[in-house]
């Protein structure tokens, strides 16, 4: 058997990866062989386990050595135990079966006479305790929490923290002991005690504070304030000094616990104000250590019910951080200011220029924070200035930022545009710079913007045409360009000359057709782009004059009748046939009507808001859609809709069709097909008329009836409203099964035409349960739309209670408003 | 300010020490090591010591659900080694940096001018120091002196056992 040192040397001496593998495999085999020999010599075993740990560090498989590790634990020798516990912590985790074998060793060692053996056991328990272990050993830990030995006491405190996290019910056994820890004079014990108490308080808060843990610990506040004061004002204390500051770790921990205790409690906050002001003004900010305390103090100031002077002090510290040369400090400042914007907008606006400068920082972490913060700063007064800066940044931004930036800029432009011209220009620029990252909603809102502004149409079509001639690689730009050229091709030709990079250019019919041909034949033409261009080219046949060009388009379509994509093929064939009906072609290919204001198209917008139960609303809409279908004389709209090539679910489409203009824009290209357009017309024409009778009559019977048969099987599960405010509502639908409960959370935008972005839900369940939360399927909601987020709850042990309880964090940004995050506690109604 | 994991990484991307305070499957650990190594190694000097990393989304069984799937990587380079710690995105990253620094100081004192080779050949000791400094991802002792004293006392406990054993063997051979 070679020694550990020799093994490490051999691995390091390997010149190639293959050599290294050979060495590792040979040694690994030798270790197994040695294990099989079952030598009783603990020196051999220790040597083997040490090598095993080296293998673990290399990322090799080590499962075969778990049992040997456990054998070391049973040895009376300290060296064996020390390595054995190290191996146990590294090689095992709480989910391993063999862990149950450790419990007995731990129990013995927790009662050992040597403090270091007890320390090893506590350390292991604190790092990898499972639920069963916690239950089996909490009494030992509780006892150790009260010993006179500070070395054991502090380890027991952190161990207790782990136990309480694993099994929250055990908390009550520890509250008294924890309280005593907060009066401890030993820094290490106090530090661990603070950590433990903070953890308990936060866990209880997350549960809704029903155990009242925070109240239990509020009385210690004066004591904590006193300790913090003596730390903050003490002179040089060699034992705990870090570059001139006495025990920054302890100071930070105290500030953290004060934050938890002072949150939402003005009396406690009152007690803390003075010391916070003292720490915030007196801490030396020349070194990282001092800044870490200042930062912690600022976080506490912002979180508790601090008086306004103190808040200003806090924000000013962040302002100073922002001007710091150290990138770390600036990062922290940018990160924290984002939280401050909502409460102190003006204080943050003052630092606008510095923040914008950070957008150009070479460090991506800084850029990312600065970008987030910049978007929160945009308002009606500074929109043109800030958006210009952001557009300049978009030009050089990392690709990963572009999608978010494109969406955020267009939202900002939509909200705060000083005039139409500016809005259009901004959007054109976004498409030019980040065309490949444009989301569908942005595209459709841009198209809507152009369609509703007749005086901008010529300008837009010229601009997009020019951009497209320069660059056909960006899909978003291609789609927007194709749509606009198809609709307003005549305006493009009539507009005559336009300026392109200082030179006046003429548009000719052949050039337009050339452009389309180039795109279609290029590698950049995606399926959707081809669909758009084919429809657009068809529209052009009624807008061009030159018969030769029209013939070219006909041939272009002809080529596509053998396209591999069925959708494109079908369009090409149908459009080709349309050439035989010249009398209808003109009418069919007319310009799309400008999408109307949504409100008029949403006759049941009002009733929707009134029906508080979401499911009813959904069923309502669905059956009204059915009504409409009936009215259309049984002509099934679904196939027609599907051929539009939009991938939206049917239900969404129906909602959109009923809800308004977004459908008109997203499906626009293919609406030129006669059948589809007829259907659209029918919808457009009938929707208001048809829906009125049923919405005007608040007929409950009808609703119930609809609720009964409307929808799929999942809608049979009960639905509960959990949140409704600011025109957005959240309903939860619970479906139980043997494995747990499946909850469908549905966000509905009840407004008519406000857009909500960054809609999402975070959730927490009591510790006895486990939660899986899927991301929301749609975080940007236009009027009437809904986003769905799925959760699965399972019991950690036993079965789920009859009433589920959830703590929800609902967050969203309403168009024109600041981001909102609200906490809601929800209990399942009986 | 709990630390989820601590990784010591060489400039060549080799892991020298890895301690996981959060339960994760080997697969997740592998992914994290790979992603994080790549992120950290591509950073240039003078950039800030923080990185944002999404990827830790396993919910710790029994823990309050992870409200923040975003995690923050706090790293710092000391000579040829990167010290990489992960914490929640709401944590105080400046103090986390101090904790990492404290660990380095303690090793420096213990090994005497620590270098990468010390940690490679005596990695158990590096873990022992870490276990006296952090428990469950939390700092357990803020006095440098105390931590080192505990380590050296445990070391001498081992030495004593070894010499006892030698004496015993000599005894058995009838030499003592």
């Amino acid at each position: 058997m070679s020694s550990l040192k020799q093994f490490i040397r051999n691995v390091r001496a390997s010149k190639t990866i293959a050599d290294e593998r050979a060495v590792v495999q040979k040694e690994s085999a030798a270790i197994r062989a040695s294990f099989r020999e079952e030598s009783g010599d603990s020196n051999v075993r220790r040597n083997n386990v040490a090598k095993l740990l080296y293998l673990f560090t290399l990322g090799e498989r080590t499962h075969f050595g778990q049992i040997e590790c456990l054998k070391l634990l049973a040895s009376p020798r300290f060296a064996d135990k020390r390595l054995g516990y190290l191996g146990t912590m590294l090689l095992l985790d709480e989910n391993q079966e063999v862990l149950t074998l450790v419990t007995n060793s731990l129990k013995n060692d927790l009662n050992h006479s040597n403090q270091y053996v007890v320390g090893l056991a506590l350390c292991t328990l604190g790092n990898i305790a499972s639920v069963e272990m916690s239950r089996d050993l909490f009494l030992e830990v509780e006892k150790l929490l009260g010993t006179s030995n500070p070395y054991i006491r502090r380890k027991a405190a952190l161990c207790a923290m782990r136990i309480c996290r694993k099994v929250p019910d055990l908390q009550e056994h520890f509250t008294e002991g924890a309280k005593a820890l907060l009066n401890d004079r030993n820094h290490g014990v106090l530090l661990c005690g603070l950590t433990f108490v903070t953890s308990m308080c936060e866990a209880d808060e997350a549960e809704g504070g029903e155990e009242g843990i925070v109240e239990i610990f509020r009385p210690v506040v004066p004591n904590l304030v006193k300790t913090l004061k003596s730390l903050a004002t003490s002179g040089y204390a060699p034992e705990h000094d870090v570059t001139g500051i006495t025990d920054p770790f302890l100071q930070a921990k105290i500030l953290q616990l004060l934050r938890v205790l002072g949150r939402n409690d003005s009396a406690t906050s009152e007690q803390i104000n003075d010391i916070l002001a003292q720490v915030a003004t007196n801490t030396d900010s020349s070194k990282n250590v001092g800044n870490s305390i200042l930062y912690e103090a600022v976080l506490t100031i912002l979180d508790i019910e601090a008086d306004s002077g103190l808040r200003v002090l806090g924000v000013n510290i962040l302002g100073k951080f922002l001007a710091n040369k150290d990138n770390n400090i600036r990062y922290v400042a940018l990160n924290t200011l984002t939280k401050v914007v909502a409460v102190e907008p003006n204080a943050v606006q003052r630092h606008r220029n510095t923040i914008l400068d950070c957008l150009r920082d070479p460090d991506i972490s800084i850029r990312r924070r600065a970008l987030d913060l910049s978007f929160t700063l945009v308002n009606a007064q500074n929109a043109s200035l800030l958006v210009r800066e952001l557009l300049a940044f978009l030009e050089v931004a990392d690709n990963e930022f572009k999608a978010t930036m494109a969406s955020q800029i267009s939202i900002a432009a939509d909200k705060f545009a000083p005039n139409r011209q500016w809005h259009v220009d901004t959007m054109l620029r976004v498409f030019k710079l980040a065309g490949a990252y444009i989301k569908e909603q942005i595209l459709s809102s841009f198209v809507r913007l152009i369609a509703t502004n007749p005086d901008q149409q010529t300008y837009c079509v010229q601009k997009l045409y020019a951009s497209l001639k320069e660059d056909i690689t960006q899909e978003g730009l291609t789609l927007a360009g194709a749509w606009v050229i198809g609709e307003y091709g005549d305006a493009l030709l009539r507009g005559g000359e336009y300026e392109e990079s200082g030179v006046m250019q003429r548009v000719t019919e052949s050039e337009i057709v050339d452009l389309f041909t180039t795109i279609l034949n290029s590698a950049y033409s995606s399926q959707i782009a081809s669909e758009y261009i084919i429809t657009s080219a068809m529209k052009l046949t009624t807008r061009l004059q030159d018969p030769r060009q029209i013939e070219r388009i006909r041939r272009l379509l002809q080529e596509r009748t053998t396209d591999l994509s069925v959708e494109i093929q079908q369009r090409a064939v149908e459009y080709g046939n349309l050439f035989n009906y010249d009398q209808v072609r003109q009418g069919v290919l007319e310009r799309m009507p400008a999408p109307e204001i949504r409100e008029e198209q949403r006759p049941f917008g009002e009733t929707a808001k009134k029906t508080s139960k979401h499911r009813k609303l959904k069923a309502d809409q669905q059956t009204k859609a059915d009504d409409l279908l009936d009215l259309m004389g049984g002509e099934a709209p679904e196939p027609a809709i599907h051929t539009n090539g939009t991938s939206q679910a049917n239900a969404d489409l129906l909602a959109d069709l009923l809800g308004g203009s977004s459908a008109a824009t997203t499906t626009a290209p293919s609406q030129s097909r006669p059948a589809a357009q007829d259907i659209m017309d029918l919808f457009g024409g009938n929707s208001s008329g048809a829906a009125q009778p049923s919405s005007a009559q608040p007929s409950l019977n009808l609703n119930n009836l609809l609720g009964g048969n409307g929808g799929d099987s999942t809608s049979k599960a009960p639905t509960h409203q959990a949140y409704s405010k600011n025109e957005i509502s959240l309903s939860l639908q619970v479906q139980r099964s043997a494995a747990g409960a499946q909850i469908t959370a549905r966000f509905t935008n009840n407004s008519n035409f406000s857009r909500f972005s960054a809609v999402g839900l975070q959730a927490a369940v009591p510790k006895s349960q486990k939660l899986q939360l899927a991301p929301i399927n749609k975080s940007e909601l236009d009027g009437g739309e809904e986003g769905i987020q799925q959760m699965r709850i399972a019991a950690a042990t036993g079965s789920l209670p009859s009433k589920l309880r959830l703590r929800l964090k609902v967050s969203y940004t309403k168009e024109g408003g600041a981001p909102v995050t609200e906490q809601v506690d929800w209990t399942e109604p009986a | 300010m709990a630390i989820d994991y601590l990784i010591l990484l060489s400039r060549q991307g080799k892991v020298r020490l890895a301690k996981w305070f959060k339960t994760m499957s080997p697969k997740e650990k592998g992914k994290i090591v790979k992603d994080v190594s790549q992120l950290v190694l591509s950073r240039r000097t003078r950039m800030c010591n923080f990185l944002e990393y999404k990827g830790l989304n396993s919910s710790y069984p029994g823990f309050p659900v992870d409200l923040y799937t975003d995690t923050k990587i706090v790293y710092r380079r000391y000579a040829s080694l990167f010290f990489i710690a992960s914490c929640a995105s709401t944590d105080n990253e400046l103090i986390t940096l101090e904790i990492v620094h404290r660990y380095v100081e303690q090793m420096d004192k213990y090994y005497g001018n620590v270098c990468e080779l010390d940690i490679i050949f005596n990695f158990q000791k590096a873990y022992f120091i870490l276990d006296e400094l952090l428990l469950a991802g939390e700092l357990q002792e803020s006095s440098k002196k105390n931590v080192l004293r505990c380590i050296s006392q445990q070391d001498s406990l081992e030495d004593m056992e070894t010499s006892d054993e030698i004496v015993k063997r000599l005894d058995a051979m009838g030499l003592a």
Side-chain angles (χ1 to χ4, degrees):
Chain A
M1 275 312 275
S2 62
S3 70
L4 169 67
K5 204 154 256 166
Q6 190 54 49
F7 173 40
I8 297 178
R9 263 194 216 114
N10 291 345
V11 170
R12 289 175 55 78
S14 315
K15 293 225 163 44
T16 63
I17 295 177
D19 281 354
E20 190 182 309
R21 285 233 53 82
V23 173
V24 165
Q25 266 162 9
K26 196 172 142 226
E27 195 64 43
S28 189
I31 297 172
R32 285 173 209 239
S34 170
F35 282 160
R36 269 195 300 274
E37 279 171 26
E38 299 244 357
S39 120
D41 187 349
S42 68
N43 289 328
V44 175
R45 183 171 286 145
R46 240 184 11 253
N47 189 29
N48 280 331
V49 170
K51 282 193 232 170
L52 207 64
L53 295 185
Y54 184 67
L55 285 174
F56 166 79
T57 313
L58 292 177
E60 299 293 330
R61 291 163 67 84
T62 49
H63 58 282
F64 56 86
Q66 290 174 347
I67 297 295
E68 294 299 312
C69 248
L70 303 190
K71 285 184 187 159
L72 281 178
L73 299 185
S75 155
R77 289 181 53 154
F78 181 73
D80 289 352
K81 282 188 188 296
R82 201 181 187 194
L83 192 71
Y85 277 119
L86 178 62
T88 308
M89 282 187 275
L90 292 179
L91 306 183
L92 300 184
D93 67 49
E94 57 182 309
N95 300 325
Q96 307 277 335
E97 296 259 324
V98 285
L99 198 64
T100 48
L101 303 176
V102 183
T103 310
N104 202 34
S105 303
L106 282 174
K107 195 163 198 149
N108 291 335
D109 288 341
L110 286 174
N111 294 313
H112 203 277
S113 58
N114 186 315
Q115 63 162 347
Y116 291 115
V117 175
V118 181
L120 286 173
L122 282 171
C123 187
T124 309
L125 192 58
N127 281 335
I128 61 166
S130 63
V131 172
E132 292 74 35
M133 265 182 162
S134 303
R135 287 191 203 282
D136 290 343
L137 297 171
F138 79 92
L139 282 172
E140 270 78 6
V141 176
E142 190 188 344
K143 203 177 73 201
L144 293 174
L145 206 55
T147 78
S148 60
N149 184 337
Y151 177 78
I152 292 177
R153 217 157 56 234
R154 64 173 149 88
K155 281 185 194 289
L158 291 178
C159 215
M161 176 182 82
R162 165 100 184 184
I163 289 175
C164 290
R165 285 183 185 174
K166 292 273 115 187
V167 191
D169 303 345
L170 295 176
Q171 219 160 258
E172 57 194 76
H173 292 269
F174 290 104
T175 43
E176 277 313 303
K179 229 179 193 171
L181 293 175
L182 296 182
N183 293 320
D184 212 293
R185 302 199 62 81
N186 181 298
H187 282 218
V189 178
L190 182 53
L191 184 72
C192 296
L194 287 163
T195 308
F196 179 29
V197 172
T198 308
S199 160
M200 279 202 281
C201 289
E202 282 182 336
D204 188 48
E205 244 186 352
E207 296 278 296
E210 54 174 32
E211 305 274 337
I213 300 287
V214 177
E215 280 75 35
I216 294 179
F217 289 106
R218 281 221 173 100
V220 302
V221 167
N223 222 342
L224 293 177
V225 169
K226 213 164 70 196
T227 315
L228 181 55
K229 189 173 241 163
S230 74
L231 285 173
T233 53
S234 83
Y236 179 66
E239 172 118 16
H240 298 285
D241 180 81
V242 181
T243 62
I245 288 173
T246 308
D247 211 336
F249 303 105
L250 194 54
Q251 291 198 38
K253 272 287 175 214
I254 297 177
L255 286 166
Q256 201 187 353
L257 182 55
L258 288 178
R259 171 159 80 237
V260 178
L261 297 179
R263 213 180 269 160
N264 304 323
D265 186 284
S266 43
T268 312
S269 301
E270 189 75 14
Q271 296 176 295
I272 313 174
N273 270 333
D274 281 349
I275 185 70
L276 286 178
Q278 200 175 348
V279 171
T281 35
N282 295 343
T283 306
D284 166 32
S285 65
S286 62
K287 297 248 170 55
N288 180 59
V289 187
N291 284 325
S292 65
I293 294 178
L294 281 174
Y295 177 40
E296 198 70 51
V298 170
L299 290 177
T300 303
I301 290 172
L302 296 176
D303 240 22
I304 64 163
E305 319 274 309
D307 60 42
S308 62
L310 195 55
R311 264 176 193 280
V312 172
L313 182 63
V315 176
N316 284 345
I317 291 177
L318 292 177
K320 250 186 265 162
F321 275 9
L322 205 54
N324 200 304
K325 267 194 256 125
D326 185 348
N327 268 343
N328 287 346
I329 309 296
R330 285 199 297 155
Y331 174 90
V332 167
L334 290 167
N335 195 13
T336 318
L337 281 173
T338 316
K339 296 176 202 155
V340 183
V341 175
V343 268
E344 306 270 345
N346 294 328
V348 184
Q349 289 287 357
R350 227 178 300 139
H351 304 290
R352 199 171 59 216
N353 289 335
T354 323
I355 295 165
L356 289 176
D357 282 345
C358 292
L359 286 177
R360 288 186 181 72
D361 200 277
D363 187 341
I364 191 169
S365 297
I366 301 263
R367 287 202 299 277
R368 198 178 276 147
R369 288 291 120 240
L371 191 60
D372 275 3
L373 187 52
S374 322
F375 281 117
T376 61
L377 290 179
V378 186
N379 61 28
Q381 286 81 51
N382 61 21
S384 46
L385 183 111
L386 259 179
V387 169
R388 193 173 61 226
E389 287 288 336
L390 290 169
L391 282 173
F393 177 55
L394 180 59
E395 206 162 351
V396 292
D398 313 54
N399 285 346
E400 62 171 292
F401 291 166
K402 281 187 176 161
T404 334
M405 284 196 74
S407 305
Q408 292 278 15
I409 293 179
S410 62
I411 290 168
D414 201 38
K415 261 201 271 188
F416 304 116
N419 56 56
R420 293 284 172 101
Q421 174 75 40
W422 180 88
H423 191 179
V424 167
D425 276 333
T426 304
M427 290 310 293
L428 284 169
R429 190 99 188 110
V430 169
F431 272 82
K432 204 170 167 180
L433 294 175
Y437 304 90
I438 301 287
K439 295 208 178 92
E440 197 187 318
Q441 305 96 304
I442 305 293
L443 177 64
S444 60
S445 81
F446 178 53
V447 162
R448 191 157 58 230
L449 173 72
I450 300 177
T452 49
N453 283 303
D455 38 332
Q456 299 287 346
Q457 283 162 357
T458 309
Y459 175 72
C460 283
V461 69
Q462 285 177 339
K463 278 284 186 190
L464 282 168
Y465 174 68
S467 314
L468 209 49
K469 277 189 78 171
E470 268 173 36
D471 181 5
I472 58 166
T473 63
Q474 307 197 64
E475 192 186 33
L477 184 63
T478 310
L479 297 186
W483 193 90
V484 171
I485 294 172
E487 286 298 315
Y488 311 114
D490 45 342
L492 177 62
L493 290 163
R494 238 184 299 117
E497 295 189 332
Y498 65 95
E499 196 183 320
E500 189 188 307
S501 41
V503 187
M504 299 308 275
Q505 298 276 341
R506 276 216 71 77
V507 189
T508 64
E509 297 191 352
S510 67
E511 276 172 1
I512 301 179
V513 182
D514 284 347
L515 177 63
F516 278 8
T517 319
T518 319
I519 297 176
L520 274 183
N521 293 334
S522 73
Y524 304 111
S525 170
S526 64
Q527 157 100 14
I528 296 180
S530 303
E531 290 167 12
Y532 268 57
I533 286 183
I534 285 177
T535 307
S536 172
M538 191 60 200
K539 286 211 151 191
L540 278 180
T541 60
T542 63
R543 289 156 174 75
L544 302 182
Q545 308 298 327
D546 186 353
R548 273 177 309 165
Q549 302 308 329
I550 297 175
E551 179 56 24
R552 275 181 70 196
I553 291 179
R554 212 180 58 76
R555 267 185 282 130
L556 187 87
L557 293 174
Q558 184 82 44
E559 282 166 31
R560 299 286 146 178
T561 53
T562 53
D563 198 284
L564 284 176
S565 152
V566 178
E567 170 64 28
I568 295 177
Q569 205 182 87
Q570 190 183 357
R571 284 189 193 202
V573 170
E574 288 174 355
Y575 293 160
N577 284 329
L578 199 53
F579 276 105
N580 302 331
Y581 300 94
D582 274 345
Q583 64 281 21
V584 288
R585 188 162 60 106
Q586 220 38 285
V588 164
L589 299 177
E590 284 246 309
R591 271 192 197 177
M592 292 288 300
E596 287 167 40
I597 313 278
R598 278 157 166 251
E599 204 159 27
E600 290 161 20
Q601 290 197 322
R602 291 179 54 82
F604 16 80
E606 283 306 301
T607 39
K609 252 184 269 173
K610 278 175 201 153
T611 49
S612 60
K613 291 283 183 213
H614 176 72
R615 184 172 53 107
K616 274 188 193 155
L617 160 70
K618 173 93 179 145
D620 227 19
Q621 287 194 339
Q622 257 179 356
T623 23
K624 273 170 196 159
D626 287 343
D627 284 346
L628 289 179
L629 301 188
D630 288 345
L631 275 172
M632 285 165 50
E635 190 167 355
E638 287 177 33
I641 291 162
H642 282 305
T643 53
N644 288 345
T646 53
S647 53
Q648 273 165 308
N650 191 20
D652 284 352
L653 250 181
L654 284 174
D656 277 351
L657 284 172
L658 290 163
S661 49
S662 72
T665 49
T666 50
T667 62
S670 44
Q671 279 183 22
S672 42
R673 284 177 42 211
Q677 198 180 30
D678 284 350
I679 290 166
M680 295 299 173
D681 281 347
L682 271 172
F683 267 97
N686 289 338
S687 61
S688 50
Q692 229 103 55
S694 53
S695 63
Q697 292 275 337
S699 123
L700 272 171
N701 286 349
L702 182 59
N703 274 344
N704 287 344
L705 197 70
L706 299 174
N709 57 15
D712 43 339
S713 60
T714 55
S715 66
K716 292 218 174 70
T719 306
H720 315 285
Q721 178 101 4
Y723 179 86
S724 180
K725 214 185 255 184
N726 298 332
E727 301 192 302
I728 190 161
S729 65
L730 167 68
S731 68
L732 301 175
Q733 192 175 38
V734 185
Q735 233 186 345
R736 285 163 184 274
S737 64
Q742 173 86 29
I743 300 187
T744 308
R746 233 181 266 268
F747 282 98
T748 313
N749 180 347
N750 295 326
S751 70
N752 290 324
F753 45 106
S754 307
R755 164 197 283 272
F756 286 86
S757 58
V759 180
L761 180 68
Q762 294 175 321
V765 291
K767 277 179 222 151
S768 54
Q769 297 161 18
K770 286 187 213 173
L771 176 94
Q772 272 183 304
L773 185 67
I776 192 161
N777 67 344
K778 199 168 190 315
S779 66
E780 311 229 332
L781 300 180
D782 280 317
E785 286 187 328
E786 40 172 66
I788 294 177
Q789 207 167 354
Q790 298 281 3
M791 286 178 253
R792 181 170 297 144
I793 299 182
T797 45
S799 61
L800 285 173
S802 62
K803 283 186 186 180
L804 288 173
R805 285 191 307 122
L806 287 173
R807 162 159 293 195
L808 304 168
K809 230 183 208 176
V810 179
S811 55
Y812 53 86
T813 309
K814 188 177 179 181
E815 199 165 39
V820 180
T821 303
E822 274 195 70
Q823 191 161 298
V824 184
D825 290 319
W826 178 79
T827 311
E828 187 179 5
Chain B
M1 18 186 149
I3 291 175
D4 297 329
Y5 53 83
L6 185 85
I7 298 171
L8 267 59
L9 193 76
S10 78
R11 268 166 70 193
Q12 287 76 37
K14 284 214 187 312
V15 176
R16 296 302 183 205
L17 181 145
K19 180 90 179 171
W20 305 86
F21 295 106
K22 202 166 183 171
T23 311
M24 274 178 282
S25 69
K27 208 169 140 201
E28 274 175 293
K29 290 180 187 172
K31 184 179 179 325
I32 288 174
V33 168
K34 201 168 132 235
D35 291 353
V36 171
S37 311
Q38 207 183 8
L39 282 173
V40 169
L41 291 174
S42 65
R43 302 278 292 174
R44 287 202 296 270
T45 47
R46 304 194 60 81
M47 285 186 170
C48 73
N49 296 101
F50 316 126
L51 275 172
E52 281 143 47
Y53 174 62
K54 285 184 214 267
L56 198 77
N57 41 21
S58 76
S59 66
Y60 200 128
F63 258 62
V65 177
D66 227 352
L67 287 179
Y68 304 98
T69 50
D70 286 354
T71 62
K72 202 160 276 173
I73 309 289
V74 176
Y75 75 94
R76 188 155 169 185
R77 192 178 136 183
Y78 291 88
S80 59
L81 273 187
F82 284 98
F83 285 68
I84 304 167
S86 160
C87 57
S89 61
T90 46
D91 277 357
N92 182 337
E93 46 282 79
L94 297 179
I95 203 93
T96 307
L97 203 57
E98 281 304 317
I99 293 176
V100 170
H101 185 68
R102 171 60 61 92
Y103 180 41
V104 176
E105 282 181 331
Q106 301 273 13
M107 284 208 283
D108 201 51
K109 258 281 174 38
Y110 179 82
Y111 290 106
N113 218 344
V114 67
C115 70
E116 194 183 338
L117 283 179
D118 291 326
I119 297 173
I120 293 174
F121 281 99
N122 281 303
F123 63 89
Q124 313 99 302
K125 302 285 185 194
Y127 279 113
F128 290 149
I129 298 172
L130 188 58
D131 281 338
E132 285 299 332
L133 196 65
L134 296 179
L135 207 168
E138 298 279 359
L139 192 72
Q140 51 166 318
E141 177 58 87
S142 57
S143 151
K144 289 188 226 180
K145 220 176 61 197
N146 265 351
V147 171
L148 285 181
R149 208 192 55 227
C150 295
I151 297 286
S152 60
Q153 282 183 358
Q154 293 179 60
D155 284 351
S156 50
L157 209 56
E158 277 194 37
D159 293 342
M160 243 161 55
E161 282 176 349
T162 319
S163 50
D164 278 357
E165 198 176 331
I166 292 173
V167 171
K168 233 184 276 164
R169 279 196 193 160
L170 289 176
D171 251 349
M173 291 156 76
L175 290 174

